[in-house]
Amino acid sequence: MIGFVSSRSRRAEIGDSCQPVSQTLLITRYDVDRAEKQESLAIEDMKDLLGLNVIGVVPESKDVLTCTNLGTPIISLGEDNPAAGAYMDMVDRFLGEEKELRFVTPEPVSFFKKIFG
């Protein structure tokens, strides 16, 4: 899709008189624990493979499926919902605001969870 957008856009057809299409990467359904276990690609690996800057990381969430089935936007769940907050952060970054990426480091595991699972 990445090469297709760059080569087939109206801007590409016009040529040098126009700025090229700006492309960024939105990573969805990201599970930092799986990436830590090398069961999926890490964010840096995706950036390196695709050569794009990351505009947002949306964590894996059952709420996205629920909202899809109900026909409601995930952002309607508000900033406190991790997936909704991640999409809101992405929009802010797209509009030029500087925000740190969330959901890119594992949650700390409590002492009792380490022992009892």
Side-chain angles (χ1 to χ4, degrees):
M1 222 28 222
I2 293 166
F4 182 78
V5 170
S6 291
S7 65
R8 302 288 183 178
S9 69
R10 180 73 175 130
R11 288 183 186 182
E13 291 174 1
I14 292 171
D16 293 336
S17 63
C18 195
Q19 290 283 355
V21 174
S22 173
Q23 297 181 80
T24 54
L25 177 62
L26 174 64
I27 301 169
T28 60
R29 300 188 66 191
Y30 185 69
D31 185 340
V32 69
D33 294 324
R34 290 189 66 204
E36 288 277 315
K37 295 176 190 172
Q38 297 184 348
E39 294 174 357
S40 67
L41 289 174
I43 293 171
E44 285 301 316
D45 295 334
M46 290 182 232
K47 284 173 56 176
D48 291 344
L49 283 170
L50 299 173
L52 297 174
N53 291 325
V54 176
I55 195 168
V57 176
V58 180
E60 179 70 48
S61 172
K62 291 180 183 178
D63 293 332
V64 174
L65 177 61
T66 302
C67 285
T68 300
N69 290 339
L70 294 173
T72 59
I74 186 71
I75 61 170
S76 67
L77 298 181
E79 183 77 28
D80 292 337
N81 179 279
Y87 277 108
M88 290 180 198
D89 286 354
M90 184 272 307
V91 170
D92 291 340
R93 282 189 209 92
F94 183 78
L95 296 174
E97 189 174 327
E98 293 289 326
K99 281 193 162 186
E100 197 168 320
L101 289 174
R102 298 189 289 167
F103 315 110
V104 296
T105 56
E107 293 288 320
V109 179
S110 71
F111 174 74
F112 291 109
K113 188 159 187 162
K114 286 180 185 176
I115 292 174
F116 300 111

